[in-house]
Amino acid sequence: MKICVFLSAADLDDRYTRPAREFAELLGKGGHTLVWGGSDVGLMKVVADGVQEAGGRLVGISVDFLAAKARAGADEMVIARDLAERKALLVERADAVVIMVGGTGTLDEATEILELKKHGHTDKPVVLLNTAGFYDGLKEQFRRMEKEGFLPRPLTDLVFFAEEPVGALAYLEESFGTV
């Protein structure tokens, strides 16, 4: 399976890097391919290292203004001209999406994939990995949107909330019948 991971390129502490590395190792050991933003810094590097060391493939989709931070050892690296093209390529090249901790860029990517699902433009499984309760507030906001009629589909049709890396990958493998 080709799994797109939206996540931060920031250097973060162990409460975020440890679960990210765990997910990456599970992904690599499962023979899956990581499709990610291509950066060789911060949390993006942690995940790419973990996948590659565990035997998985790396497909990076960087962007022109960040090309200097792109990972040299990826199996494949694409340089998009802008962020919009990058997002489109990330989703296009993946079978599923996992949203990990991140800032405004990650949130932008997350809302785009959920908007595509909401309108039926993709049926790819989407998992929000809620490491250390990072997305508790967002989860609450999504539930409010659903309750108050802002979502035309049930929230469970749009995204699966996982608290642990093993649950995130198990959901994806079950979605594809590979368990």
Side-chain angles (χ1 to χ4, degrees):
M1 194 176 356
K2 293 175 286 194
I3 300 171
C4 174
V5 177
F6 295 141
L7 73 166
S8 178
D11 289 316
L12 301 169
D13 67 42
D14 189 58
R15 70 183 160 156
Y16 299 122
T17 57
R18 185 184 35 72
R21 177 127 182 119
E22 180 186 334
F23 179 77
E25 289 170 357
L26 291 168
L27 200 153
K29 286 177 184 171
H32 303 296
T33 297
L34 171 68
V35 180
W36 93 118
S39 290
D40 203 27
V41 296
L43 199 60
M44 283 195 190
K45 178 178 175 28
V46 169
V47 170
D49 286 349
V51 168
Q52 200 165 46
E53 290 166 13
R57 292 188 73 249
L58 300 179
V59 175
I61 313 289
S62 190
V63 65
D64 191 50
F65 67 89
L66 294 175
K69 295 180 181 182
R71 186 180 184 99
D75 295 291
E76 184 181 348
M77 183 63 65
V78 176
I79 307 296
R81 68 182 169 275
D82 57 32
L83 291 172
E85 181 184 36
R86 181 194 206 186
K87 281 190 297 187
L89 288 170
L90 284 163
V91 172
E92 179 185 305
R93 300 290 299 268
D95 301 314
V97 174
V98 174
I99 303 158
M100 296 177 98
V101 297
T104 55
T106 303
L107 192 56
D108 175 54
E109 293 162 337
T111 54
E112 176 132 346
I113 188 67
L114 294 177
E115 192 68 7
L116 290 170
K117 277 196 82 165
K118 183 180 91 173
H119 291 291
H121 291 280
T122 186
D123 61 351
K124 296 176 186 196
V126 176
V127 175
L128 194 145
L129 183 51
N130 190 26
T131 302
F134 185 80
Y135 286 118
D136 285 351
L138 185 60
K139 192 174 173 181
E140 184 179 325
Q141 184 63 46
F142 284 147
R143 286 184 175 149
R144 181 176 179 181
M145 288 174 187
E146 179 180 42
K147 181 180 173 190
E148 295 186 18
F150 289 94
L151 301 179
R153 296 174 62 183
L155 184 57
T156 55
D157 287 358
L158 299 178
V159 62
F160 175 79
F161 295 96
E163 301 300 319
E164 297 294 329
V166 69
L169 190 58
Y171 173 80
L172 295 177
E173 288 177 339
E174 186 177 302
S175 296
F176 282 90
T178 58
V179 194

